[in-house]
C-alpha cells in the first residue's frame, strides 16, 4: 500500500498549521476519493452501511456507462452515415470517443474547478455531487455543442443552480438539466433544429468527408413536430440519409439525438443496475412512464394530427423520455422524497413531458422542461403527503379516544 | 456648497446601503422589463430620477396642507402629472426609446419607489432634503438599471448603446450572443448577483437565517 503510505506522509502538510493548509479541502477530497474515510464515531450505537454518497455516485456513473459508450458509437455511426463512408466498428467508436471525450473533460474541469474553489473558500469539504453531473452534462447535449458553451453552461449551472443554494444536497433543480436549459435558451441555434445532432465535420483530422445528398439531421421528434402529414399513418420517421427508421433502430439507438439519450436498451441496462442497487427509485421511473402512457392514451382518443396520433411506444423510445425518467427524475436531491410523493412526482413528469411534446411544436422535446418544472414542485408534493399522513393519524387518535 | 452630514446621508444613502432595488427590493418589475438594452435603461433611470425628485419637492411643499385621509390620491395626481410630462418629452425628442419603453414610462406612476419616498420622506421633511432624497433614490435605482442594461446588452446583443463592441473575429471564431440575457429571468438573476456582491461587502445588511 505505497499510495496509502505516501498520503499519510504528506498529510501533515495539509493539516492545521501545515504549509499547504489552504489546500486542505482539496487534499481531503482526493484522500476520501481514494480511500474510505477512517473517521468514525468511537462511542455509542451507530449503524453504518457502506453506502455513502461517494459510493452512490459511482454506481450512478457505472449505470450511465452503457448509454455513454453506445452514445459515442452512435456519434461515429451517424457521422460516417452522413458522409457516406463505410468503416468498421472501432473507427466509428473512436470517432465518437474523440468527439465526446473533450466535452466530458471540459465539463469536469470547469465544474470541479468551481466546486474545489468554493469549498476551499468556505473551508468545507469538497462534496462529490459533481461526479455525476459532470458526466451527465455532455450526455444530454447535442454532440456538436461547442466546448466553450459547455464550459459557460457548466459554470452557470454549478454556481447558480447549486452553490447559491448551499452546495450538493441543497439544490432545488437538477444541475445538469439547468446547464442544458441555460444552453437551450441562450443558444437556441446550437441546441435545436436539424444542424446540431449529427457531427458532420472531422474530429482531430478523423473522418473527413462531405455530407451525402439528401442528408437531414433532424431528430425523429423534430421531424414529427414539423411534419405536414395529417395523420400518423401517412408519416414515417426517417434516418439522416432518408432511410426509414424501424422501431428496433429506435430501441437500440441508431437515431440522431443527444449523446446519451439515443439507446433505450442501454438506458434500460442502467435502470436495472440502479434499481438492483436501490440507488434509483423504481417508483419514480415507473410512474414517469405511467404518466406518459396515460397522457398519450388520452390524447390518442381525441387525435387531430400526426403528433397527437403517435402511440405511446414511440414516445418512450424517442428523445430523452427514457433517459430523463431513469437518470434525471430519480435524482434523490431534487425529486420528491416521500414514497407516495414519488408516484405523484413521476406521473406528473410523464404527463407534462408528453403534453409539451404534442402541443408545442416549438419544443419537440419536453422532458427537460417537465423535469425542471416538477423539481420546483417536489417539496410541495412532499409537504402535502406528510400533511395528509399526519391528518390521517390524528383522526385515528381521535377515534380511539372516543372509543374509550 | 457644503453638505451637512445629514443631507449627505439623504443623498448618498440610497446609492449604497439603502438602495431601493437591492436593499428595499422595490421597483423590480421595471428593472427586469426595460434593461435588455443600455439605452432604454439609461432613459428610464433619468426619467425616474426626475419624477422622484420633483414629486418629492411638490409633495413636501404641500405636506402641511394635504388632509391626511386623501394624501395618496394627491400624491398620485402629482406623480401622474409629472409622468405625463416626461412621457410627452420622450415622445417629442426620443421617440424610438419611448417606443422601446412602451408602457413602462406610464407605469412609473405605480413604481413603488415613488410612493415609498413620498410616504416615508416627503411628507415629513422640507423641500430641499426631499429633493435630495428624490435625486438619491432615483440615482440609486438608476445605477442598478444601467449596470444590468450594460451586462445584458453586451452579452445579449454584443453591442453597447447600439454600437457593436464584440469584434467580428469573435463571431467568426464561433462566439454567439447569449439569448438568455435578452429574457427577463436573466435580469432577475443579475439583480441577484448584484445583491450577492453587495451583501458580501456589507455584512450588516445580511439577514440572519
Amino acid at each position: 500500500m505505497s499510495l496509502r503510505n505516501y498520503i499519510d506522509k504528506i498529510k501533515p502538510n495539509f493539516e492545521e498549521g501545515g504549509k499547504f493548509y489552504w489546500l486542505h479541502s482539496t487534499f481531503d477530497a482526493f484522500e476520501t476519493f481514494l480511500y474510505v474515510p477512517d473517521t468514525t464515531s468511537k462511542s455509542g450505537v451507530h449503524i453504518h452501511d457502506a453506502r455513502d454518497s461517494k459510493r452512490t455516485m459511482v454506481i450512478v456513473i457505472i449505470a450511465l456507462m452503457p448509454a455513454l459508450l453506445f452514445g459515442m458509437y452512435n456519434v461515429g455511426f451517424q457521422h460516417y452515415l452522413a458522409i457516406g463512408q463505410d468503416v468498421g466498428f472501432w473507427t466509428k467508436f473512436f470517432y465518437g470517443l474523440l468527439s465526446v471525450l473533450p466535452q466530458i473533460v471540459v465539463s469536469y474541469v470547469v465544474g470541479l474547478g468551481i466546486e474545489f474553489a468554493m469549498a476551499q473558500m468556505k473551508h468545507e469539504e469538497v462534496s462529490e455531487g459533481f461526479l455525476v453531473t459532470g458526466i451527465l452534462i455532455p450526455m444530454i447535449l447535442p454532440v456538436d455543442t461547442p466546448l466553450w458553451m459547455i464550459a459557460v453552461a457548466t459554470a452557470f449551472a454549478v454556481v447558480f443552480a447549486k452553490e447559491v443554494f448551499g452546495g450538493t444536497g441543497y439544490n432545488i433543480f437538477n444541475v445538469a438539466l439547468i446547464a442544458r436549459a441555460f444552453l437551450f435558451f441562450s443558444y437556441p441555434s446550437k441546441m435545436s433544429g436539424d444542424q446540431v445532432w449529427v457531427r458532420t465535420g472531422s474530429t482531430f483530422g478523423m473522418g473527413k468527408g462531405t455530407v451525402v445528398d439528401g442528408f437531414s439531421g433532424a431528430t425523429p421528434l423534430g421531424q414529427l413536430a414539423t411534419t405536414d402529414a395529417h395523420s400518423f399513418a401517412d408519416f414515417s420517421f426517417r434516418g439522416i440519409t432518408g432511410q426509414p427508421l424501424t422501431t428496433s433502430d429506435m430501441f437500440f439507438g441508431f437515431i440522431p439525438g443527444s449523446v446519451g439519450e439515443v439507446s433505450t436498451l442501454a438506458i434500460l441496462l442502467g435502470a436495472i443496475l440502479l434499481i438492483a442497487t436501490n440507488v434509483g427509485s423504481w417508483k419514480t421511473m415507473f410512474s414517469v412512464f405511467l404518466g406518459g402512457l396515460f397522457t398519450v392514451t388520452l390524447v390518442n382518443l381525441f387525435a387531430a394530427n400526426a403528433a397527437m396520433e403517435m402511440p405511446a411506444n414511440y414516445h418512450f423510445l424517442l428523445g430523452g423520455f427514457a433517459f430523463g425518467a431513469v437518470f434525471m427524475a430519480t435524482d434523490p436531491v431534487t425529486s420528491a422524497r416521500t414514497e407516495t410523493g414519488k408516484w405523484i412526482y413521476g406521473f406528473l413528469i410523464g404527463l407534462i413531458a408528453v403534453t409539451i411534446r404534442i402541443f408545442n411544436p416549438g419544443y419537440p422535446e419536453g422532458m427537460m422542461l417537465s423535469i425542471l418544472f416538477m423539481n420546483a414542485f417536489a417539496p410541495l408534493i412532499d409537504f402535502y403527503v406528510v400533511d395528509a399522513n399526519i391528518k390521517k393519524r390524528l383522526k385515528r387518535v381521535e377515534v380511539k379516544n372516543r372509543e374509550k | 456648497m457644503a453638505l451637512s452630514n445629514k443631507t449627505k446621508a439623504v443623498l448618498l444613502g440610497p446609492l449604497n446601503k439603502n438602495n431601493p432595488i437591492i436593499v428595499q427590493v422595490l421597483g423590480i418589475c421595471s428593472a427586469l422589463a426595460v434593461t435588455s438594452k443600455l439605452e432604454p435603461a439609461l432613459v428610464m433611470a433619468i426619467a425616474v430620477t426626475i419624477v422622484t425628485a420633483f414629486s418629492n419637492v411638490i409633495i413636501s411643499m404641500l405636506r402641511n396642507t394635504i388632509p391626511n385621509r386623501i394624501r395618496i390620491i394627491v400624491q398620485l395626481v402629482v406623480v401622474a402629472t409629472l409622468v405625463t410630462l416626461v412621457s410627452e418629452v420622450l415622445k417629442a425628442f426620443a421617440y424610438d426609446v419611448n417606443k422601446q419603453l412602451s408602457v413602462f414610462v406610464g407605469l412609473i406612476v405605480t413604481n413603488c419607489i415613488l410612493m415609498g419616498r413620498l410616504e416615508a420622506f416627503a411628507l415629513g421633511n422640507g423641500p430641499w432634503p426631499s429633493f435630495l432624497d428624490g435625486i438619491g433614490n432615483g440615482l440609486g435605482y438608476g445605477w442598478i438599471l444601467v449596470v444590468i442594461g450594460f451586462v445584458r446588452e453586451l452579452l445579449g446583443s454584443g453591442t453597447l448603446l447600439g454600437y457593436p463592441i464584440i469584434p467580428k473575429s469573435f463571431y467568426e471564431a464561433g462566439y454567439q450572443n447569449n439569448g438568455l440575457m435578452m429574457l427577463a429571468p436573466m435580469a432577475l438573476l443579475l439583480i441577484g448577483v448584484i445583491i450577492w456582491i453587495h451583501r458580501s461587502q456589507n455584512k450588516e445588511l445580511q439577514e440572519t437565517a
Side-chain angles (χ1 to χ4, degrees), chain B residues 72-85:
Chain B
I72 299 279
I73 207 132
V74 175
Q75 289 164 10
L76 272 180
V77 170
V78 170
V79 174
T81 315
L82 287 165
V83 168
T84 312
L85 282 174

Side-chain angles (χ1 to χ4, degrees), chain B residues 129-156:
Chain B
S130 296
F131 178 74
L132 291 180
D133 180 74
I135 295 279
N137 275 283
L139 292 179
Y141 168 84
W143 80 259
I144 303 287
L145 251 68
V146 169
V147 168
I148 297 170
F150 178 86
V151 176
R152 284 182 75 187
E153 184 171 355
L154 183 66
L155 298 180

Side-chain angles (χ1 to χ4, degrees), chain A residues 118 148-149 152 156 159-160 164 182 185-187 189-190, chain B residues 173-181 183 186 189 193 196:
Chain A
M118 286 275 187
W148 71 268
M149 284 187 188
V152 171
F156 177 87
V159 173
F160 288 99
V164 292
F182 176 83
F185 289 107
S186 296
Y187 310 107
S189 67
K190 287 285 176 197
Chain B
Y175 176 81
Q176 283 195 1
N177 289 324
N178 189 318
L180 193 61
M181 280 288 170
L183 304 173
M186 200 64 198
L189 273 175
V193 172
W196 185 2

Side-chain angles (χ1 to χ4, degrees), chain B residues 82-192:
Chain B
L82 287 165
V83 168
T84 312
L85 282 174
V86 167
S87 170
E88 292 299 319
V89 170
L90 281 182
K91 268 184 201 149
F93 297 104
Y95 188 67
D96 288 340
V97 180
N98 186 61
K99 256 176 38 188
Q100 284 181 45
L101 289 172
S102 66
V103 294
F104 289 97
V105 179
L107 284 178
I108 297 177
V109 179
T110 60
N111 195 320
C112 311
I113 297 170
L114 277 146
M115 297 303 280
R117 288 337 288 168
L118 295 177
E119 282 284 304
F121 199 89
L123 282 175
N125 288 284
W128 175 240
S130 296
F131 178 74
L132 291 180
D133 180 74
I135 295 279
N137 275 283
L139 292 179
Y141 168 84
W143 80 259
I144 303 287
L145 251 68
V146 169
V147 168
I148 297 170
F150 178 86
V151 176
R152 284 182 75 187
E153 184 171 355
L154 183 66
L155 298 180
S157 315
T159 58
L160 280 179
L161 292 171
Y163 297 103
I165 296 292
I166 303 216
K168 264 216 170 75
S169 53
F170 272 49
Y171 291 103
E172 278 154 17
Y175 176 81
Q176 283 195 1
N177 289 324
N178 189 318
L180 193 61
M181 280 288 170
M182 303 309 283
L183 304 173
M186 200 64 198
L188 191 67
L189 273 175
L190 287 174
I191 294 181

